[in-house]
Each structure stands twice: as structure tokens, then as C-alpha cells.
């Protein structure tokens, strides 16, 4: 998630031939950014195995407290472990067995002093914490706890923290490269009469003497940090099954009690999504942990096996069509988009948030694939083209590495258009689908970099696509196909692009399809017909120029 209504407020800025790219001004980063965003030596030596997280939630005081027992494997002998927890939350103590360990604090990073760790061994530390976590003002974009009330005056609480990080409210290794290999236990102590929903499956409910209840949720697959979530409300459960590619998938909807009937009807889009996206991407990646839609007091987020929903039971994006074509109003944006993230975000996860387009580009593309599955290829193509309205082309899609920096918002609509353009180059729908499914198999439950994803697509398609990815991900400009027709000669080239840009493009000359291989130098071709057209499926600009003389 993490998208604001860009399409409604932003007009496409068209850059034409001759302009240079407009790059972001040099950002300045602090040591805290590096501690948060890089694989520091105090992170690198240990591999996450398991989180056992307990959190008690007190909405009257907007206060939480708990402990996280972290199981890790020692990859290299070391003595100092970095754990992240953001102010104003506090670590009260860290223990290993019976010993309390010394902690050196540096802002949001905390360095635990351990006895020498032996390579190959497994260890556990328990981090105790408490405090008033940052409150979300505009969830899910700014991140934090949402302390709301439902229509009956019951507490309605949820967490969201992509980008800012899970360490906003619980102590963890807050870098995306490492996930707990064996999953986690998430125990949530909720106020009387309310239900707490987390990730994975509900294992048991414990009644406490003070009237509160502890809900113990178990996740058996690796899980990304920001995917972990706490939701508390006056929930009811609607339980069913979906017959999918990997067998019976448990599908549970957790909604506010007074929305039960509405949800039963409206959430049918969840089954349509599973059908369409299993077709394109392969089996839902977390059968063992089940699939859930959980109602929350904010728009929604891709929490793993616990997709959160707050789109007000409307079609589109809060009733709006981001593409302006009408196709965006045939389905509930949040159900389709956030569920799409189960494949691209939760199954295939970026190592560094600079590569966030892997989540948002592919997932925005999954919207088009959903449309293609139910309404046909033309409808999907029209939706993809409609999304161009929201592209700004001011900064590259990829952000700065190792400092927890997201790239430009273009990662959504331009990411979709990049993939749609690459599909035109691959020009083989069956192979394209194989590549999308193959990605989810090759990188199953893994964290990845952009270059790994690019290389895979190039290898599988048999086409070197590196210059295309460089152009659309690492440069802000939209390439222009510039051409002139003089008598029976076509003169053409790529301009407004990187030096090595060489994307082949299929054009129609007098109704006949021809494959051109332009680059930034002029090329010449004899033609019999002067009518040239290029499919709008490519995200490029086309510029016919008048010339008096054939260039050298
Ligand atoms: Zn998203």
C-alpha cells in the first residue's frame, strides 16, 4: 500500500526530445539513517530464526508493553547485536537465560552486549519494551498506532508501519533483508470483550484474571517486519474455503460486528482476486498461514496473511477510478491491490526499500492482470494507459540504497507501465505468464534486489532487457521515438533517453508490422508506404519531425 490519490491531483508532465532528466536534489542522510537502512556488522553476524512477540495493548492510555524473544543463528562469531526500537518506545531490559545484558543506546538503535557467540550455534535473547508508540495521523502513510472508535463506541485499533518500520512499536532487526525463517508467534493482550487479530492462524485464546484476553497467533512462514500487525476491535469472523492451485485455502474475514452482512457480499472480490492472481502468479504463497481480510480504521495495507481493509465497502479506490477509464470501478481497489502484495511484497520481498517498485510496480500491474482475467486484454491495456495520468517523471523509481529511502511515487503507475512495455518486447503472452509465475517460484519466500529480478526476466525471455530497466527505473525520462519520413525513407532514433537505450519496437507501416531496433543514432530504412503507427501499449512518446535533409 502507501499510495495517495495521485491520479486525481497530478497531471502528466510530458517531456519531449532534447530535455535532460530532472534528478532529485542530493539528499542528506544521517548516521541514524545508515543504522536503520544498512546491513551493519552488528546485524550481519546473526540470522533470524524466530520471533516470539507478546504485546499488551492499553487503549485508555495509548500504552503498550511486552517482550520479544528472538531466536537467531550465529553466522560469524561476535559480541554485539543491534536491535531497533524507535523513540519514544523504550527497551526496559534484555535478558539471555538468567542474565540481564548491558545495552548501549544510540538513538533508535540499541547495541546488546553478549558473551562471545560461537559460529554455528543458536541463541535467544528476550527484549522487554514499553511506551506510548507513535500515533498514526494519516495511516497507513505516516505509520503508527491508530486509536479509533467504531460506530458503537468500541475501541478500534490497528498498526501500520511500512517504510518507517516495525521498530516503531516492537523491538526487532528492522531491516528487510532478513526474515525469521521459521515464522513467529504473535500474542496480543486485548481489552475485555474485544478481539485481537494478528498474522497467520489463531492458535488459542487465553482468559486473564483481569478480564482481558490474550490472542495467540502463529505464522509458520518467513514474514517481513512491516507485515506484522495488531488489530483490535469488536470483530466477528466469517470463515470459508477457497479451492485453489495448492488445495483448500482457509479464507477468513474479520469485520466489525455491524458490517457482517455487507462484508459477506462485498468481499466476494477476494475470491475473484485469488482466482485471477493464482492464474498469473501461481499459488497463493501462504496456504499454511491462511488468507485473511481484516477490517481496520484506515485505508488498508498488505500485512502478510492478514490483509487489512478500510475501503469503506466501495468499488475503486474509495469510490474513485485511478485510471479514469471506468475499469477501475469494477472491483474493490484495496482487496485486489493489497492481496496482490501477497505475491509481490510478502512472497518476493525487497531487501532494501530503495527497490520498493518490486512491491508496488508489480502489484499495480496485478490490477491490470486482474482486469485482463475477467474483462479481457483490451480493458487491461486501457487501464494501464489510464494510469499514466498519475506519472510525474521527475525522479527515478529506485531510491537511495542503505539509508532506508523509498524511490519516487512513480513506482506505482510507471512500474505498471514498465512491465506492460516489457511484455510488448517479450511479445509472447504464454512466456510472459510463465515469467511471472517463475518469479514467484524462483524467489519463493525470499528477499531480493532489483538486479536479481531484472536478470531473471532477461534470462527467461532470452532478451537482454537491462537497458530498458535502466531507462525506466534509474532515469526519470520517458524515451521518445523520433522519426521523419522523406519520400520513401524512414529515418528514426531514440531520444530523451540513456545512451545505451535500444528497446526494439514493433511499428506498423502501411498496415504491415515491422520490428525496428532503434538506438540513439539515426537509422534509415526504405519504406513503400508513408503511414506509420506504433501501439499505445509501449510507454514512450512518439514525435514526428520534419527534416530537409537525411542526417549523416
Ligand atoms: Zn501497494
Amino acid at each position: 500500500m502507501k499510495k495517495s490519490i495521485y491520479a486525481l491531483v497530478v497531471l502528466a508532465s510530458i517531456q519531449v526530445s532534447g530535455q535532460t532528466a530532472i534528478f532529485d536534489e542530493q539528499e542528506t542522510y544521517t548516521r541514524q539513517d545508515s543504522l536503520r537502512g544498512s546491513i551493519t556488522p552488528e546485524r550481519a553476524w546473526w540470522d533470524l530464526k524466530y520471533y516470539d512477540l507478546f504485546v499488551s495493548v492499553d487503549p485508555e492510555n495509548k500504552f503498550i508493553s511486552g517482550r520479544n524473544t528472538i531466536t537467531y543463528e550465529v553466522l560469524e562469531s561476535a559480541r554485539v547485536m543491534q536491535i531497533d526500537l524507535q523513540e519514544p518506545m523504550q527497551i526496559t531490559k534484555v535478558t539471555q537465560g538468567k542474565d540481564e545484558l548491558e545495552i548501549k543506546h544510540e538513538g533508535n538503535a540499541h547495541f546488546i552486549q553478549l558473551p562471545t557467540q560461537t559460529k554455528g550455534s543458536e541463541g535467544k535473547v528476550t527484549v522487554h519494551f514499553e511506551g506510548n508508540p507513535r500515533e498514526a495521523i494519516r495511516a497507513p502513510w505516516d505509520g503508527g498506532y491508530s486509536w479509533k472508535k467504531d460506530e458503537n463506541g468500541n475501541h478500534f485499533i490497528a498498526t501500520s508501519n511500512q517504510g518507517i518500520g516495525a521498530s516503531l512499536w516492537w523491538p526487532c532487526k528492522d531491516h528487510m533483508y532478513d526474515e525469521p525463517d521459521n515464522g513467529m508467534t504473535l500474542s496480543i493482550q486485548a481489552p475485555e470483550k474485544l478481539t485481537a487479530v494478528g498474522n497467520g492462524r489463531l492458535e488459542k485464546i487465553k482468559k486473564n484474571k483481569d478480564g482481558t484476553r490474550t490472542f495467540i497467533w502463529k505464522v509458520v512462514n518467513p514474514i517481513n517486519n512491516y507485515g506484522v500487525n495488531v488489530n483490535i476491535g469488536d470483530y466477528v469472523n466469517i470463515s470459508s474455503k477457497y479451492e485453489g492451485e495448492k488445495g483448500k485455502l482457509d479464507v477468513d474475514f474479520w469485520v466489525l460486528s455491524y458490517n457482517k452482512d455487507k462484508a459477506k457480499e462485498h468481499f466476494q472480490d477476494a475470491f475473484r482476486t485469488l482466482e485471477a492472481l493464482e492464474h498469473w502468479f501461481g499459488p497463493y504463497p501462504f496456504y499454511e498461514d491462511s488468507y485473511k481480510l481484516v477490517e481496520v480504521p484506515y485505508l488498508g495495507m498488505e500485512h502478510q496473511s492478514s490483509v487489512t481493509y478500510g475501503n469503506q465497502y466501495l468499488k475503486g479506490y474509495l469510490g474513485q477510478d485511478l485510471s479514469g477509464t471506468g475499469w477501475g470501478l469494477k472491483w474493490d481497489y484495496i482487496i485486489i491491490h493489497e492481496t496482490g502484495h501477497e505475491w509481490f511484497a510478502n512472497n518476493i520481498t525487497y531487501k532494501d526499500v530503495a527497490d520498493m517498485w518490486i512491491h508496488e510496480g508489480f502489484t499495480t500491474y496485478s490490477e491490470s492482470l486482474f482486469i485482463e482475467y475477467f474483462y479481457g486484454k483490451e480493458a487491461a491495456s486501457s487501464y494501464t494507459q489510464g494510469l499514466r495520468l498519475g506519472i510525474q517523471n521527475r525522479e527515478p523509481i529506485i531510491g537511495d540504497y542503505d539509508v532506508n529511502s523509498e524511490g519516487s511515487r512513480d513506482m506505482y503507475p510507471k512500474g505498471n507501465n514498465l512491465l506492460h512495455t516489457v511484455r510488448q518486447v517479450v511479445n509472447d503472452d504464454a512466456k510472459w505468464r510463465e515469467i511471472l509465475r517463475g518469479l514467484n517460484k524462483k524467489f519463493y519466500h525470499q528477499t531480493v534486489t532489483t538486479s536479481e529480478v531484472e536478470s531473471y526476466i532477461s534470462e527467461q525471455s532470452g532478451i537482454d532487457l537491462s537497458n530498458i530497466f535502466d531507462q525506466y527505473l534509474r532515469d526519470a525520462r520517458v524515451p521518445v521515438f523520433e522519426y521523419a519520413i522523406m519520400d520513401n525513407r524512414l529515418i528514426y532514433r531514440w531520444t530523451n533517453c540513456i545512451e545505451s537505450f535500444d528497446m526494439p519496437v514493433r511499428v506498423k507501416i502501411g498496415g504491415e508490422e515491422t520490428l525496428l531496433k532503434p538506438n540513439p543514432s539515426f537509422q534509415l530504412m526504405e519504406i513503400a508506404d508513408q503511414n506509420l503507427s506504433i501501439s499505445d501499449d509501449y510507454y514512450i512518446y512518439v514525435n514526428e519531425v520534419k527534416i530537409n535533409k537525411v542526417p549523416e
Side-chain angles (χ1 to χ4, degrees), residues 197-217:
V197 182
N199 308 79
R201 292 177 186 274
L202 181 58
E203 200 181 64
K204 72 173 175 214
I205 305 170
K206 235 176 70 193
K207 281 191 178 150
N208 303 312
K209 283 187 188 131
D210 60 359
T212 62
R213 290 185 295 172
T214 304
F215 294 78
I216 301 168
W217 293 84

Side-chain angles (χ1 to χ4, degrees), residues 280 357 361-362 364-366 368-369 372 376-388 412-427 429 432 436 468-469 472 503 506 535-540:
W280 287 108
W357 81 277
F362 278 95
T364 305
Y365 185 57
S366 77
S368 297
L369 295 175
E372 180 166 339
K377 216 170 154 177
E378 228 172 278
S381 161
S382 152
Y383 180 80
T384 286
Q385 289 176 41
L387 291 180
R388 290 175 190 166
Y412 295 79
K414 195 172 175 180
N416 174 316
N417 272 278
L418 160 63
L419 293 167
H420 190 61
T421 299
V422 169
R423 179 179 181 173
Q424 310 312 310
V425 175
V426 172
N427 194 27
D429 284 352
W432 183 239
L436 296 171
I468 302 176
F469 285 112
Y472 288 91
M503 182 168 78
R506 272 169 294 119
S535 157
D536 290 330
D537 285 313
Y538 294 97
Y539 181 48
I540 57 173

Side-chain angles (χ1 to χ4, degrees), residues 100-114:
E100 187 168 338
L101 303 171
E102 194 195 327
I103 315 162
K104 290 188 175 145
H105 305 278
E106 191 181 345
N108 296 329
H110 310 274
F111 298 95
I112 317 297
Q113 314 295 306
L114 293 157

Side-chain angles (χ1 to χ4, degrees), residues 1-2 302 337-338 341 360 363 412:
M1 186 49 224
K2 300 266 306 187
E302 64 254 29
H337 180 95
E338 307 309 341
H341 276 307
E360 300 304 347
T363 300
Y412 295 79

Side-chain angles (χ1 to χ4, degrees), residues 454-522:
E454 291 182 39
S455 306
Y456 180 83
I457 301 175
S458 283
E459 276 160 29
Q460 298 303 310
S461 64
I463 305 167
D464 180 1
L465 301 161
S466 55
N467 293 328
I468 302 176
F469 285 112
D470 279 345
Q471 178 67 53
Y472 288 91
L473 295 173
R474 300 180 178 91
D475 192 281
R477 293 169 292 179
V478 179
V480 176
F481 179 78
E482 190 177 73
Y483 74 98
I485 292 173
M486 271 187 82
D487 306 322
N488 60 341
R489 279 170 299 185
L490 170 68
I491 301 128
Y492 62 94
R493 66 167 179 171
W494 285 121
T495 178
N496 202 42
C497 60
I498 57 170
E499 260 174 52
S500 53
F501 191 62
D502 59 355
M503 182 168 78
V505 64
R506 272 169 294 119
V507 302
K508 274 190 178 162
I509 299 170
E512 210 159 295
E513 198 169 277
T514 310
L515 182 72
L516 299 181
K517 294 181 173 171
N519 59 47
S521 303
F522 284 109

Side-chain angles (χ1 to χ4, degrees), residues 64 69 122 130 136 158 170 194 326 338 349 363 387 398 401 438 471:
I64 63 168
T69 298
E122 203 171 85
E130 63 177 35
W170 60 286
L194 298 181
E338 307 309 341
T349 307
T363 300
L387 291 180
I398 293 182
Y401 290 99
Q471 178 67 53

